Amino acid sequence: DIGQQTLININPGASTDPNSSPTVNFTDYWKKFRVEKIATENTWGPNNDRVVSMYQSKLYLTQVSVTGLTGTVTRVGPILPSWTEYGSDPFWSQDGSLFVFTSYDQPDIGLYNTDGLNGDMKRRGKIVIANADPGAIHDDARDLVPRMNNITSYYPSISNDNKLIVFNQSACGADPDQYRTAMDYGNQSCDGYDDTTATLWVTTPGGGNPIRLDAANGPAGS
């Protein structure tokens, strides 16, 4: 609860020590504020009762119910059943009418990501857009920023007025990234995580040629 600056108890049975606290048996205490294997990335719908969650590079609709300081989080099911590629970086527009995400076809295996499906690292990413309403994502996803050779696009975000979509784009070079150490998490040059070649681009929901935001992009490797 951002307004009350407090956490919601969404898994009350997980904490078994009634005396646990943030400083006493804290491992037990924090269990009641999370649900395992539900999501690693979330984007809220406009009615504050549903989120789209990414888990193992698939996108799911998740129902959230809160009463006071207690709530439940329940996975409803996968979204976009016609979309067959991996999905990550979901973003639901503020009014609920648009939905964008990163689609990719090549899992990126690396440190702490042995199956390549944590959704945090991804190669050959492209930006995809779908229509939506406040309660669901429509199964009409289509390419917004198509896949390109030696480029990965990721982290899309929709402006509050739905007129612009900003995203990251990285160039692919030799691995590991020249500015990262060999054992870093996400040290590949084109995995969409802390890429030192990342630049910001902007496009519109209707598509067209994206514009590179030169004034926002620092020098390579910064």
Side-chain angles (χ1 to χ4, degrees):
D1 188 327
I2 295 175
Q4 299 299 319
Q5 297 184 18
T6 187
L7 295 174
I8 302 297
N9 186 340
I10 57 174
N11 196 3
S15 178
T16 57
D17 179 0
N19 297 314
S20 63
S21 72
T23 57
V24 177
N25 195 4
F26 55 85
T27 301
D28 176 82
Y29 176 79
W30 295 115
K31 289 179 179 179
K32 58 190 174 183
F33 300 115
R34 64 175 183 260
V35 178
E36 301 289 346
K37 298 183 179 180
I38 286 290
T40 57
E41 295 180 6
N42 301 283
T43 178
W44 283 92
N47 293 334
N48 300 329
D49 60 347
R50 294 190 173 193
V51 297
V52 170
S53 306
M54 185 279 294
Y55 183 69
Q56 293 188 337
S57 294
K58 295 182 180 179
L59 299 174
Y60 298 91
L61 189 66
T62 301
Q63 183 75 39
V64 179
S65 178
V66 176
T67 302
L69 297 180
T70 303
T72 59
V73 176
T74 306
R75 180 181 292 162
V76 177
I79 66 168
L80 303 171
S82 298
W83 198 260
T84 57
E85 286 192 352
Y86 300 110
S88 189
D89 307 336
F91 194 102
W92 205 338
S93 68
Q94 181 172 292
D95 70 350
S97 67
L98 293 174
F99 177 77
V100 291
F101 66 101
T102 301
S103 178
Y104 65 102
D105 63 354
Q106 183 177 336
D108 196 81
I109 294 173
L111 189 65
Y112 309 125
N113 188 23
T114 55
D115 62 3
L117 296 180
N118 73 356
D120 206 11
M121 299 187 295
K122 52 267 177 184
R123 292 184 187 251
R124 291 171 47 82
K126 61 181 180 179
I127 307 302
V128 176
I129 188 169
N131 294 316
D133 59 59
I137 309 301
H138 300 177
D139 190 18
D140 59 2
R142 62 271 184 196
D143 286 4
L144 180 64
V145 180
R147 180 168 292 125
M148 294 174 281
N149 291 329
N150 300 316
I151 291 289
T152 191
S153 300
Y154 53 102
Y155 293 162
S157 178
I158 305 171
S159 64
N160 289 353
D161 58 6
N162 289 355
K163 293 182 178 180
L164 298 173
I165 296 171
V166 68
F167 62 96
N168 275 123
Q169 198 169 82
S170 294
C172 303
D175 285 333
D177 190 307
Q178 63 176 319
Y179 297 102
R180 307 285 298 279
T181 62
M183 290 304 294
D184 275 355
Y185 173 81
N187 72 312
Q188 295 90 334
S189 68
C190 197
D191 63 3
Y193 181 86
D194 283 0
D195 289 350
T196 57
T197 61
T199 51
L200 284 172
W201 295 69
V202 68
T203 187
T204 68
N209 292 325
I211 298 172
R212 188 180 187 274
L213 299 179
D214 290 332
N217 296 318
S222 63

